[in-house]
Amino acid sequence: MNVLVVGGGKLVYYLSRSLTGRGRRVTIVNRDRAECTRLARKLDATVVLGDGSDPTVLEEAGAYEADAVLAVTPNDEDNLVICQVASVRFEVPRTLALVNDPDHQETFKALGISAVSPTQMLSRMLEQQMAFEDIDQLISFGEGNVNVTELTLDDESPVVGLPLSEIGLPQDALVAAVLRRGRPIIPRGGTVLHERDRIIVVTLPDTHEDVLRRLVGASHV
Amino acid sequence: MRQAEDLFVVVVGCGRLGALVADRLSRAGHHVTVIDQQESAFGALSPEYSGFKLEGDATEFACLREADVGQADVVVVATENDNINLMVGQVARELFGVKRVIARVTEPAREAIFYELGLGTVCPARIVGDEIVEGLIRAGANGRVHER
């Protein structure tokens, strides 16, 4: 898989290092000659000097053969145009833009470009962690929209003793697994929850907090 | 009172080009709001300019909303940064539903991309270049310019 990374700084260095480490062929496009030299020396990647939003530079960097383009410069407008040029002109199947302004995530989506906002991810994670200290956020995917969370039911939990079908979770939430004294259970509607069960829930942002509150009890929030 | 033939025009970027466009439209009786990140840029407007001036970053959604871009008949994006023009132009058209968006392109090689993304463009370098070349060719046909 060929990945084209446009940008600079530590982010591009570590990103490229982790991609090449996983066997991806990486090409970096960077505007700064000295940084290009440094990156080329330290990484097993092709480095192209130039403006990544310029179609001729992207073509030179192999955009026609790229399977993915990552635009991670500090300027959101550049990241948008890089991804648009890559998908419109070179038909790159997958493009992803970094957005510094979290509001741009929606804007980019409306313009057909997937975007990730580290600011939003961090603030969302921080909020969730502060709200639920004994709850572990395991992973999130779908640009941070799908969360997988692990939590333990204690004696204050209002759902202990109830079967899953009666705990009243919103439609877009799922109890995916229950760990009972170390034994994993894939639950069904009739599975009754016990105290000290560790459960894994899949949630969407809109109802995330409601779901957790419903499971662990209001006093924890 | 706003009259039917009057346009509401939002001009993004108050550099030489943006200021010129804003000024001329304002003097022609149209309603103009000009946006620039730096207040000092508004110094380029003439004293007769009677439109609004909005200090802000037009790549921020809130700034465009404050400028009431959704109500604009025309948006002219005229900053010196092609990518900002491309982004703001698309946001005005796709998210605010503005029918006429005119974007300035500084780099002639990029005009094609603007076109592929559906934006009307004006490229000053190309206009001046065409003018010079055509002028020379016409002059050549009249026998006033000779090849070495």
Side-chain angles (χ1 to χ4, degrees):
Chain A
M1 185 163 117
N2 297 317
V3 184
L4 224 154
V5 181
V6 185
K10 285 185 177 167
L11 178 59
V12 161
Y13 172 67
Y14 291 119
L15 189 62
S16 305
R17 194 182 68 177
S18 99
L19 287 166
T20 53
R22 275 184 273 171
R24 315 291 193 205
R25 272 191 301 275
V26 174
T27 303
I28 301 170
V29 179
N30 185 291
R31 278 169 153 168
D32 181 85
R33 185 175 294 275
E35 190 170 5
C36 282
T37 312
R38 256 196 323 274
L39 288 166
R41 204 177 296 141
K42 288 201 290 188
L43 289 166
D44 182 20
T46 309
V47 182
V48 173
L49 174 69
D51 173 353
S53 67
D54 179 341
T56 53
V57 172
L58 277 187
E59 186 172 354
E60 187 194 334
Y64 278 118
E65 287 80 40
D67 299 292
V69 168
L70 301 175
V72 295
T73 79
N75 302 313
D76 290 356
E77 63 274 7
D78 293 344
N79 294 340
L80 174 74
V81 175
I82 291 160
C83 288
Q84 288 190 316
V85 170
S87 77
V88 172
R89 174 71 64 87
F90 300 106
E91 295 179 350
V92 177
R94 234 167 280 150
T95 66
L96 190 58
L98 175 98
V99 288
N100 299 281
D101 177 350
D103 293 347
H104 285 165
Q105 199 168 13
E106 284 298 310
T107 305
F108 281 31
K109 201 193 271 176
L111 298 175
I113 297 299
S114 310
V116 279
S117 163
T119 319
Q120 193 181 36
M121 276 180 169
L122 287 173
S123 61
R124 211 179 254 177
M125 280 177 78
L126 183 67
E127 269 173 37
Q128 287 175 2
Q129 285 192 3
M130 288 195 303
F132 306 100
E133 285 191 335
D134 50 358
I135 291 167
D136 285 333
Q137 162 120 31
L138 296 178
I139 49 170
S140 74
F141 51 96
E143 289 155 20
N145 282 322
V146 182
N147 289 292
V148 179
T149 308
E150 180 177 355
L151 53 93
T152 304
L153 303 179
D154 62 15
D155 55 352
E156 287 178 47
S157 163
V159 297
V160 161
L162 294 176
L164 269 188
S165 57
E166 286 171 29
I167 64 175
L169 286 190
Q171 278 287 317
D172 49 4
L174 176 75
V175 176
V178 177
L179 275 173
R180 185 166 295 158
R181 288 183 231 100
R183 194 169 60 87
I185 301 166
I186 301 296
R188 299 189 159 266
T191 306
V192 176
L193 296 170
H194 293 189
E195 195 182 323
R196 285 202 304 276
D197 277 356
R198 284 194 72 69
I199 66 176
I200 290 169
V201 279
V202 182
T203 56
L204 300 183
D206 283 350
T207 49
H208 180 82
E209 299 218 352
D210 291 341
V211 170
L212 298 197
R213 202 171 284 125
R214 179 86 200 110
L215 291 169
V216 299
S219 65
H220 284 251
V221 186
Chain B
M1 257 310 269
R2 187 176 165 182
Q3 295 179 356
E5 63 270 27
D6 291 347
L7 296 172
F8 171 36
V9 185
V10 175
V11 178
V12 178
C14 194
R16 274 172 304 184
L17 180 65
L20 183 105
V21 170
D23 244 347
R24 300 260 304 253
L25 287 170
S26 171
R27 279 197 253 175
H30 297 293
H31 301 263
V32 181
T33 294
V34 60
I35 306 174
D36 202 288
Q37 270 189 300
Q38 265 150 357
E39 207 203 339
S40 58
F42 299 130
L45 295 164
S46 75
E48 289 83 50
Y49 176 77
S50 63
F52 289 102
K53 304 164 197 168
L54 178 62
E55 184 187 345
D57 180 350
T59 66
E60 285 182 31
F61 202 78
C63 173
L64 294 182
R65 204 165 33 210
E66 195 183 337
D68 225 356
V69 163
Q71 298 302 314
D73 299 300
V74 186
V75 171
V76 179
V77 272
T79 79
E80 276 160 19
N81 181 322
D82 283 348
N83 290 346
I84 289 180
N85 294 347
L86 248 181
M87 176 166 166
V88 174
Q90 290 184 83
V91 170
R93 206 197 45 199
E94 303 295 331
L95 279 75
F96 286 92
V98 178
K99 296 264 180 344
R100 288 181 70 192
V101 176
I102 300 163
R104 169 201 200 172
V105 199
T106 49
E107 179 68 54
R110 287 193 196 212
E111 245 183 322
I113 280 297
F114 277 67
Y115 180 76
E116 280 165 54
L117 294 171
L119 289 178
T121 59
V122 173
C123 178
R126 181 184 297 283
I127 292 169
V128 176
D130 287 353
E131 190 73 12
I132 291 172
V133 171
E134 276 164 27
L136 284 176
I137 290 171
R138 265 201 308 276
N142 292 338
R144 273 184 278 143
V145 172
H146 302 282
E147 287 185 40
R148 282 169 288 184

